[in-house]
Amino acid sequence: MNAATTTAPLLKVENLVKQFPIKGGLLGRVVDHVHAVDGVSFELAAGETLGVVGESGCGKSTTGRCILRLIEPTSGQVWFEGRSVTGADKTALRALARDMQIIFQDPYASLNPRMTVGAIVGEALTIHKLTKTAHEYEDRIVHLLETVGLSADHLRRFPHEFSGGQRQRIGIARALAVSPKLIVCDEAVSALDVSIQAQVINLLEDLREQFKLSYVFIAHDLSVVEHISHRVAVMYLGRIVEIAPAKLLYTDPKHPYTEALLSAVPIPDPSVKRKRIPLQGDVPSPIRPPPGCHFHTRCPIAQKGLCDVEKPQLKQTAEGHLVACHLRG
Ligand code: SF4
């Protein structure tokens, strides 16, 4: 079942699959595949934030990059405002790139160290010919820097002169330069200290209001996405195993994997006790994911002969709450 929103979607992802070939032998033939994304479907409404969470290697970042076609999906469909992203040619993709932007985890690696902050933020203005005069160009960059909490003084400085949080603000200003409607935040705050994380998340929330943005907010930690997300999707080995309005997912998780992830999230109120559900073992290799339910090798309630054989489909358990589990769906 598709994880649908109630309003017309801004973004629609249908049965997205990405397999990375593994080459080997003397002739460099394809000997196997990494099954990074295995049939992901969801919709995102305008102004909505969807948190996407899972351990590393679950395919969340690959999903984000396939949506923007920074990585070519193996199969599946992506639509943005009814326009096919997966079917777009170079020209159409360039137009779509103005509407869909990405912010990366490591702002230092994604910012050219030899370019000034002004040049980094202004690059897209030049590519898309968004300003007419040098004066307008500089004004626009200063305005973007101020919007993200930096200033005109930073214009001629280089990325290494900034802290991690400030560098992420530069990345956000760069993404905002083309006035996008959707931003994929790919582990955008994961590398930052907790207090800086909160500042950047607050900034992203303010910008969402101010510019009517939508986010696909990717993180490996449920606590990070809790406050910014309207809905949250939990991924495991390339599949969405649960997707629900954020409140529902945090108060009434259905999937055993979500329960385990949630049990590790600290609760600020010390009087509230949460039973820790330890996850056994590591995430299995995405080269040969376990058959049936991918989670059956680590699931505390797995049923032999069912979970290791049949793939569970996403089923609705409450309004907007979908879970892929034979015993909880
Ligand atoms: Fe566990 Fe089976 Fe549900 Fe998978 S389908 S989560 S193995 S109970």
Side-chain angles (χ1 to χ4, degrees), residues 4 40 75 82 125 202 204 223 244 258 270 315:
V40 163
S75 61
L125 296 176
N202 287 342
L204 288 168
S223 61
T258 313
K315 281 179 278 182

Side-chain angles (χ1 to χ4, degrees), residues 263-283:
S263 77
V265 173
I267 304 173
D269 181 352
S271 65
V272 181
K273 294 266 177 287
R274 191 184 263 156
K275 194 172 161 252
R276 185 83 196 254
I277 307 168
L279 274 171
Q280 307 294 331
D282 295 326
V283 183

Side-chain angles (χ1 to χ4, degrees), residues 9-271:
L10 178 80
L11 177 76
K12 186 172 176 178
V13 177
E14 203 168 84
N15 209 13
L16 194 71
V17 172
K18 178 62 191 178
Q19 297 172 356
F20 293 102
I22 302 170
K23 292 184 178 168
L26 283 176
L27 300 173
R29 288 208 179 103
V30 176
V31 290
D32 224 327
H33 287 91
V34 174
H35 300 265
V37 181
D38 184 14
V40 163
S41 300
F42 65 84
E43 292 180 359
L44 182 78
E48 189 185 27
T49 297
L50 175 73
V52 180
V53 172
E55 290 162 286
S56 67
C58 72
K60 53 193 190 302
S61 286
T62 307
T63 301
R65 284 157 203 236
C66 282
I67 289 170
L68 274 75
R69 291 227 352 236
L70 298 178
I71 294 175
E72 285 299 326
T74 305
S75 61
Q77 302 284 331
V78 177
W79 286 276
F80 182 84
E81 291 185 321
R83 290 175 280 166
S84 172
V85 179
T86 34
D89 61 15
K90 259 195 179 161
T91 317
L93 207 53
R94 208 176 151 118
L96 279 161
R98 273 193 63 183
D99 287 329
M100 303 195 296
Q101 286 287 304
I102 187 163
I103 305 168
F104 297 99
Q105 171 173 6
D106 183 351
Y108 197 56
S110 68
L111 303 176
N112 186 333
R114 284 184 290 275
M115 282 167 79
T116 63
V117 167
I120 290 168
V121 174
E123 198 176 18
L125 296 176
T126 310
I127 292 171
H128 294 281
K129 300 187 180 71
L130 297 178
T131 50
K132 289 191 181 72
T133 63
H135 186 68
E136 194 191 341
Y137 172 81
E138 189 156 321
D139 266 6
R140 175 91 179 113
I141 296 170
V142 170
H143 179 68
L144 283 161
L145 291 178
E146 287 170 351
T147 304
V148 299
L150 297 170
S151 72
D153 295 344
H154 296 128
L155 202 64
R156 288 174 233 295
R157 298 218 203 142
F158 291 88
H160 73 267
E161 298 176 61
F162 294 85
S163 68
Q166 285 176 318
R167 287 202 287 261
Q168 201 50 289
R169 287 173 192 266
I170 298 167
I172 296 168
R174 176 175 61 179
L176 285 179
V178 290
S179 309
K181 293 175 182 164
L182 168 72
I183 300 181
V184 173
C185 304
D186 184 10
E187 302 264 15
V189 298
S190 302
L192 305 174
D193 291 345
V194 175
S195 61
I196 310 293
Q197 267 187 1
Q199 289 172 14
V200 174
I201 287 176
N202 287 342
L203 170 67
L204 288 168
E205 283 188 302
D206 291 347
L207 296 173
R208 178 177 66 201
E209 295 296 313
Q210 202 180 335
F211 298 108
K212 312 240 170 314
L213 292 166
S214 300
Y215 297 129
V216 174
F217 196 92
I218 297 166
H220 53 258
D221 189 339
L222 267 173
S223 61
V224 169
V225 303
E226 181 168 5
H227 296 293
I228 197 169
S229 304
H230 297 103
R231 288 185 303 143
V232 175
V234 178
M235 283 187 73
Y236 188 78
L237 271 181
R239 296 176 183 164
I240 290 179
V241 296
E242 184 161 9
I243 183 164
K247 254 203 185 128
L248 210 51
L249 190 109
Y250 286 86
T251 53
D252 188 21
K254 296 288 183 213
H255 198 281
Y257 180 58
T258 313
E259 283 178 342
L261 286 185
L262 208 53
S263 77
V265 173
I267 304 173
D269 181 352
S271 65

Side-chain angles (χ1 to χ4, degrees), residues 241 254-257 292-304 306-308 310-312 323-329:
V241 296
K254 296 288 183 213
H255 198 281
Y257 180 58
C293 173
H294 285 346
F295 189 55
H296 82 258
T297 53
R298 300 170 83 194
C299 179
I301 59 165
Q303 236 177 55
K304 237 183 164 343
L306 173 66
C307 299
D308 52 347
E310 263 181 58
K311 175 185 167 182
V323 61
C325 173
H326 294 304
L327 307 185
R328 300 281 182 78

